[in-house]
Each structure stands twice: as C-alpha cells, then as structure tokens.
Amino acid sequence: QVRLVESGGDLVRPGGSLRLSCAVSGFAVGLKTIGWFRQVPGKSREGLASISLSDGITRYADSVKGRFTISRDSSADTVYLQMNNVYFEDTALYSCAMFMGPNVMWPTNGNEYQYWGRGTQVTVSA
C-alpha cells in the first residue's frame, strides 16, 4: 500500500526558508514521479514541482522556479521541497503525491496523480 507523509510545515517570516519532507513507502521500484502541490481554500490546487524517483528529472512551476528546489534522497524514499525567499502568497496547505509513471505530466494540477498525503501547513507571516 503506497503511503505518503508530509512534514516540515511551519510558520515562517517573509524572506525566510523552510524544508518540507515527503516520506514515501509501499511502492515497487520503477517509473514513479513525486510532485509537490499546494492549495489555498477557495483556489485551485497548484502543481509546484515534480521529480522522477528513478532518474531525478525535475520540473517546476514558474511561480516557484528559482526559489523552491525539489530533491530526493539516495534511497528515493524521501522527497524534499526546499523553500527559499518565501512570500506571503506561499501560505497554503502543501501536499505531496505520486504519479505511477515518468515525469512527463507537466504542468499539472495533480489530477493524474494516484496517491496523496494529507498535507502540511505552511504559513508565511511577519
């Protein structure tokens, strides 16, 4: 059973940094992609970044390119989202999800992703 668990959400000041983690378990080795998404109540879900667990190919939304970095550890069971120079508008519930295929579905709002974590809240406030 595939399981994704996010952690690392917190209250952070504008211009600050935060690292989110997505612990992934219960999946077989193969073509898998992990994506980070965020959602604010009343708005559509936004795809932020994705990474292929097999070859590390990454993709980014323009809104976070240059500020956020997605990475995976060597065992590919944890995916990170390093958030730098955060803005007020980065406040959201951040979720990770798994797509059972290569990292070619971009941009995406996550509808193609089959497994989801429950999310971790990031709040940017002075």
Side-chain angles (χ1 to χ4, degrees):
Q1 180 179 355
V2 176
R3 188 165 179 248
L4 299 97
V5 180
E6 303 92 339
S7 61
D10 204 345
L11 175 67
V12 59
R13 295 184 183 275
S17 297
L18 205 59
R19 189 176 81 159
L20 307 183
S21 299
C22 174
V24 189
S25 61
F27 66 99
V29 176
L31 288 176
K32 305 289 190 301
T33 297
I34 299 295
W36 277 101
F37 301 82
R38 67 185 178 190
Q39 189 159 23
V40 176
K43 293 189 176 181
S44 300
R45 185 170 57 207
E46 180 184 11
L48 304 175
S50 63
I51 187 167
S52 168
L53 294 183
S54 58
D55 56 20
I57 290 176
T58 58
R59 304 190 188 278
Y60 292 93
D62 289 342
S63 60
V64 303
K65 197 175 294 183
R67 297 191 300 126
F68 292 7
T69 303
I70 191 171
S71 61
R72 71 195 196 292
D73 65 9
S74 57
S75 61
D77 58 8
T78 304
V79 172
Y80 304 99
L81 184 70
Q82 177 67 42
M83 304 169 61
N84 295 330
N85 189 26
V86 297
Y87 306 151
F88 287 117
E89 50 264 41
D90 292 323
T91 295
L93 181 68
Y94 285 69
S95 300
C96 60
M98 176 181 283
F99 172 67
M100 308 294 275
N103 192 7
V104 297
M105 306 295 289
W106 197 264
T108 177
N109 61 5
N111 286 346
E112 306 86 356
Y113 283 63
Q114 292 93 344
Y115 300 95
W116 289 82
R118 292 189 174 185
T120 185
Q121 179 67 34
V122 172
T123 302
V124 182
S125 176

